[in-house]
Amino acid sequence: MAWQIVRRLLIFVGSVLVASLAVFWLLSGIGDPARVQLGTGATEEGVRQLREQMGLNRPFFTRYLEWLGGTLHGDFGSSYISHAAIGPQLADRLSVTLWLVLGAMVLSVVVALPLGMLAALWHRRWAGTLISGITQLGVAVPAFLVGILLIALFAVRLGWLPSGSYVVPAQDPGGFLEHMILPWLSLGLVQAAVLTRYVRTAVLDQMGQDYLRTARAKGLTPWQALLRHGLRNAAIPVLTVLGVQLVTILVGAVVVEQVFVIPGIGQWLVDSVGNQDLLTVQAIVITLVAIALAVSFVVDVLYTLVDPRLRHG
Amino acid sequence: MAEPVSTATGPAVSPEPAQAAVAPLPAAERRRPGALLVTGGTIVALVVVVAVVSFFWTPWSTIYTDVLHWHAGPGTAGHLLGTDIRGRDVASLLMAGAQTTLYVGLLAVGIAAVVGTPLGILAGMTSRRWTEVILRITDLWLAFPALLLALTFATIWKSSLTSAMIAIGVATIPSFIRVVRSGTVVVMSSDYVQAARVAGRRGPAIAVRHVLPNVMGLVIVQVSVAYAIAILAEAALSYLGLGAGPTTPSWGRMLFENSSLLQAGYPVVLLWPGLAVALAVLGFNLLGDGLRDRLDPRLVGR
Amino acid sequence: MTLRRPRALLALLVGAAVAVSACSAGSSVAGTSSSSSSSSSSASSSSAGAGGSSAGGATSGSSGGSGSSGTSSAAPVSDASLSIGFILEPTSLDFTQADGAAIPQVMLTNVYETLVKLDQKGDIVPSLAEKYDVSADRKTYTFTLRSGVKFSNGTPMTADDVKFSFDRVTTAWKPAIKAEMGVVASTTVVSPTVVEVTLKQPSNSWLFDITGRVGAVFSKTGVADLATKPIGTGPYVFQTWNRGDSIVLQRNDAYWGQKPDVKTVTFKYFKDPSAMNSALLTGGIQVVSTEQTPETLGQFKDTSKYQIVQGATDGEVMMTMNDGKAPLSDVRVRQAINYALDKQAILQGAWSGYGTVIGSHESPNDPWFVDLANKYPHDVAKAKELLAAAGQSNLTLNLTLPPVPYATAAAPIIVSQLQEAGITVKASDVTFPVWLDQVFGKADYDLTIINHVEPRDIATLWANPQYYTRYDNKEVQQLLAAGDAGTQEQYVADYKKAVGILADDAAAAWLWSFPNLMVADANVKGLPKNLVGEAFVLSDLSVA
């Protein structure tokens, strides 16, 4: 099992390296930072000089290794547009986004676990069907639409909650919660719909297993049998989905931050794309990709730990 | 067996991925696959019909701005669903937006299917080592969701519907590779392929003659699922102002241009395109689910 | 070369992008009269001051609002702080090296001061100079400096510093705006408090120009690190810059003039206009310096909590046409486009009616303003007629849009109206760097929409055939050149004529004069009604 984990770790590190190379190639290989920086009035001579000055004429791999080296120390360079250091901002923005993502994640799990189990237990009743139908709809609705609907109802119509912007939790915890409720709901509810469906299926599968029938034969209620024996097994496919969801929410946050004007990494990414700020986009994209890969690495490891078949495989 | 496709690839690879907000759905609705198929099919057909009709007719021109009615309510001055922030007819824009939606999906999914299917077959037919390499690459590839890749492309090249479509297509390739590979593995272990091999048929011939026709069903299911993803990604990009251009009718673009009306207190203009996106995504999702339920028992059970 | 040379347009345009920023021209009429008196009266002091507060005593530190001429020592001073929302963040604090309207917006007048400055009406009034005299040939300006002025590094301001600063513009500055000092032949120190500037030829715009960036007075010993340690004489000193978020200025307690009321001012930057609105609603800021989504102003209608300030800027929102490229090189096509547009409707639909429809390159504040708004009344038949005459009945044009709210807003209405006249418009969005490169740099475009924010920038746009407007009209070039070098009367008369020719030629489709639209908490006092000059002046602000 230790070997399994080491192997996964190696794969993870390798993947991040290859991904960083791909990102660097796209944004610093194909894109031309010197031209972008000069913008108007860029003469060929000027571009050439600046390329020289910025060290863009050096071999691709030299530049890549230099960037990679800096990145590993948290030094992502300075934006070509604002000349501000990217690293510190990345940390700030990411912390905002992580609040958003984690809150949404927790919300979706809290909603989906009981709902999915209920849907499974009641799968022959109308309530179960109703839950399935609602989740089917929920899956189709984009998170940003949920956001718009929530703003329309709770901010515009009822005036209960603010329509957007962000409050730093350390400064004003109450205000922070007030501002985050709607964004969390928009991201979390959609993911809850997806998750509910997986939980339902996983639980249904377990309910058909012999050991649960045995447990019930011993006099346990379906709930007891499920909670005592079935959850661990049902957790395996659900765990997988949770990892995927975390990444989905992270990307979904890009749009939801726009709806609620939250100064997270997604809004920064969209701004930087608009400014053709190659280096900043590069830093943000590799960060998000690295997070995605890390999540899938962690899920894989947990998978190995949880699944008895793999433990001895 | 929550997810037939991922289990077919074996637990050693990471979980079946999902992109945007739609994860491939668990095939839990086996009891009445017909209902899913019919509902999904109907919605998709509706979107197609609206798109086709809008080619020839919309109530108003999609670029006409009614300078007397800015963001007017439904029914105002002959505007069935009202006008948007710049006085354009919402119903007409919605109809024409269906064209963009279908067009974007067609191109993106087309790219993904045309590139992903042969690679998937290849991955299913080659030696273990190569399979491993291809699967590793798709794993990595999957860490670049459609929206992220589209934003990256928009930075390097001019942001446009085309660059968005290509990005979405490229990002969707690995899901095709995986699905097709898992189908190929099943087909390759079947008796008739074994027989063909014994008879001396070469790889390419087997791929075209036996594998492709048999995985076609899976490809069609995946097309439907990927279509839903593409629609969502386009809507999101256009909503960010990085997709459809100013005069291209697009649901996402409508959301983008009218977004300030939310603060101004006229949210209703935003609801229509939002609902249109949701409906189209729902349609393709249901269609995909319905098709998968039809196909799965035979292919996976073989 | 009498004309102002094309300016650093990156700056201008970055400013334009955000639509507001600095610049808005001095208001004309007043400015004209005062400076004309100065030029005509030969030798003696023409301190062009508001309210005759010419020479002597007036510490006219703050113009306009806050009754300035009081003695600084006795003024009550509060510990209030204020956060003001802006869109465009500076790229650097050093406007001698970096361009962009956002830098002088923060630094000028607040941290750095000029010899003369613009008051709220746009008049040129003394600042660091107590008075100035103009010679009879209008080529020599003699400035008498205020005494007792100290830089924030403690050194006193003398004539040497002024000469050092003026000379440094041509020798060490990078932004193209340094060309404004090109007309200066020499700067001479007469005494520690008197500086004499000699021009190569008379120029009406020069004195106006030195109310801006190029006129800023730096300390001879304080320019080593302008990017991080700015040293000036102004009522505020730079404190911190949290990049990507905010810049904080602190009151200069050793200021020579009327000390400002607000102790700490935070310039807070928002990329998204609705985020800025939200911040005002939630108390994160007290002032929205530029409202970019006027349709949402309804959310601030509660006058007990908010105030809406409406005035003018010097920005002209225009649909620029590529005058050098067929078919737009044909004046009939350009006129047809102007006839096809219903500008009042565009202003209403795109900017909720805030602003004023204009018909040529002018702000209502310019001394040479002529109301040409009805030069081309909305007349689709006439437009079609002109197009037919030009042989362009089936015309397709590209409209390249920078990512600015007013362009995104106006484009759909323009596309619709031109379609009715038979012109098919293909609109496309581009990023700002692409816009700068393709449209502004290479003039590879048919139509675009942009707000030219710089004050009195008519010569920049229309006297230079290489400019992206590609407008080449010898008569206009001569008029603008002669006007600049001529007397005040000639200046106004010639510019008026040039403005008229531009309208006749339909050199562009001018849409509206960009409004100064601010929203603030009701208790914030002293907000400028009109945006005048390049700075966002803080010294008049107070919190009740």
Side-chain angles (χ1 to χ4, degrees), chain B residues 63-67 70-71 85-86 88 154 158-159 241-242 244-247 253 256-257 260-261 263-264 266, chain C residues 274 277-278 293 295-296 299 345 348-350 401 408-409 412-413 415-417 419-420 425 427-430 434:
Chain B
I63 60 167
Y64 175 73
T65 55
D66 187 338
V67 299
W70 316 107
H71 53 75
I85 188 170
R86 310 289 166 225
R88 285 169 297 189
K158 244 171 78 166
S159 67
L242 297 167
T247 45
R253 176 91 195 178
F256 166 65
E257 291 189 348
S260 65
L261 289 183
Q263 285 191 327
Y266 303 95
Chain C
S274 41
N277 287 340
S278 297
T293 53
E295 61 271 13
T296 65
Q299 62 191 327
Q348 193 62 43
L401 298 167
T408 308
I413 309 168
V415 169
S416 166
Q417 293 180 352
Q419 182 71 57
E420 278 171 65
V425 177
S428 58
D429 291 325
V430 294
V434 169

Side-chain angles (χ1 to χ4, degrees), chain A residues 227-247:
Chain A
L227 291 175
R228 224 172 273 182
H229 301 284
L231 277 190
R232 180 190 169 94
N233 288 302
I236 295 169
V238 171
L239 188 64
T240 309
V241 178
L242 277 180
V244 174
Q245 284 210 296
L246 192 64
V247 176

